[in-house]
Amino acid sequence: MDTNDRSGVDQVMRYKIIPLIAEYFYDDWSKVQAVLGGTDDFVKGEPLGPPPGLDSTPGEDRFRWTVQGTFAEDAYDRLIAGRPNDGAE
């Protein structure tokens, strides 16, 4: 990974690992999130409403997925341990 500090690891995760996982799952970001621990620590999906002019959207719910701007201090520890971020430690 050619990095020696936390910010370098974050950059590798953000610009190399997450895009590679997204490509592997054909941009199915719900699967990307599942692989990254199933939490919002690395990627987050926000529900989208129906497009303008439509009362409802037929089919599956739609989400706007984003990579978090900063990762929680213990995000990697939780990912490795398989612990979700439930706010209680």
Side-chain angles (χ1 to χ4, degrees), residues 34-47:
V35 166
L36 294 173
T39 68
D40 291 343
D41 287 338
F42 298 100
V43 297
K44 182 177 183 178
E46 297 178 23

Side-chain angles (χ1 to χ4, degrees), residues 7-85:
S7 67
V9 172
D10 287 351
Q11 294 296 318
V12 170
M13 177 66 94
R14 184 174 291 107
Y15 296 111
K16 293 184 179 182
I17 296 173
I18 291 174
L20 184 63
I21 295 169
E23 181 180 348
Y24 182 81
F25 286 116
Y26 299 101
D27 289 323
D28 184 339
W29 286 86
S30 62
K31 290 182 182 176
V32 173
Q33 185 183 48
V35 166
L36 294 173
T39 68
D40 291 343
D41 287 338
F42 298 100
V43 297
K44 182 177 183 178
E46 297 178 23
L48 292 174
L54 293 178
D55 292 336
S56 65
T57 304
E60 297 179 12
D61 293 334
R62 301 174 324 132
F63 293 87
R64 177 185 323 253
W65 290 93
T66 56
V67 176
Q68 297 287 27
T70 58
F71 304 138
E73 191 66 34
D74 59 346
Y76 297 106
D77 294 331
R78 283 195 304 274
L79 176 62
I80 292 168
R83 292 189 327 261
N85 181 8

